[in-house]
Amino acid sequence: MALLHVVEQSDDIITVKDSDLRVFAANKAFARSAGYDDFTEVIGKTDAEIYNIPPWEEPVRTYMDDERRARSLKPGEYLLREEELITHTGERSAIRPRNTPFTTQAAMYCLPLIFREI
């Protein structure tokens, strides 16, 4: 419960996606950066749906390509690179997302992402 509170209150953008790259968990910071009042509004959506940008257009294409590449990583490996976040207001900032895939005990594929503003 304490860890959940820390994640929820973090200023870092934290989200977990399923194998279809749909959000199934997110914190308030992720929702705010995408222009939503509550994190429940992004559950079940892809980045293209959240940001209302076609999946073949930037920056969504890069986000989703990185997430697909991360799916093939071995345990303990991760993708870490600098990219630009464009918020719903058009504000731009440099972020460093860390993509680390894992599989749950129920064999559910998960892709947690932690974005830190730099």
Side-chain angles (χ1 to χ4, degrees):
M1 191 61 120
L3 182 58
L4 179 61
H5 181 73
V6 169
V7 168
E8 183 63 25
Q9 300 304 316
S10 176
D11 289 333
D12 288 338
I13 296 169
I14 302 172
T15 183
V16 181
K17 297 182 180 179
D18 65 17
S19 59
D20 295 322
L21 305 181
R22 293 188 176 280
V23 174
F24 73 85
N27 68 348
K28 291 178 186 178
F30 179 79
R32 280 193 309 267
S33 74
Y36 294 87
D37 295 324
D38 190 86
F39 71 91
T40 60
E41 297 176 81
V42 299
I43 303 300
K45 296 182 179 180
T46 65
D47 286 340
E49 295 164 331
I50 291 167
Y51 295 105
N52 199 28
I53 298 172
W56 57 87
E57 289 185 18
E58 292 298 342
V60 169
R61 183 178 72 194
T62 297
Y63 298 164
M64 295 177 88
D65 285 349
D66 282 352
E67 292 162 8
R68 285 185 193 96
R69 277 202 331 263
R71 293 167 64 172
S72 64
L73 297 175
K74 295 177 184 157
E77 294 183 332
Y78 57 87
L79 290 179
L80 181 66
R81 72 184 201 101
E82 207 173 297
E83 53 188 52
E84 185 174 56
L85 174 69
I86 303 172
T87 68
H88 69 285
T89 62
E91 183 180 335
R92 296 170 182 260
S93 62
I95 58 170
R96 185 171 290 140
R98 179 178 174 149
N99 300 336
T100 310
F102 70 92
T103 304
T104 67
Q105 289 179 350
M108 181 178 193
Y109 171 82
C110 301
L111 182 65
L113 299 138
I114 301 173
F115 297 77
R116 174 154 292 160
E117 198 168 338
I118 52 175

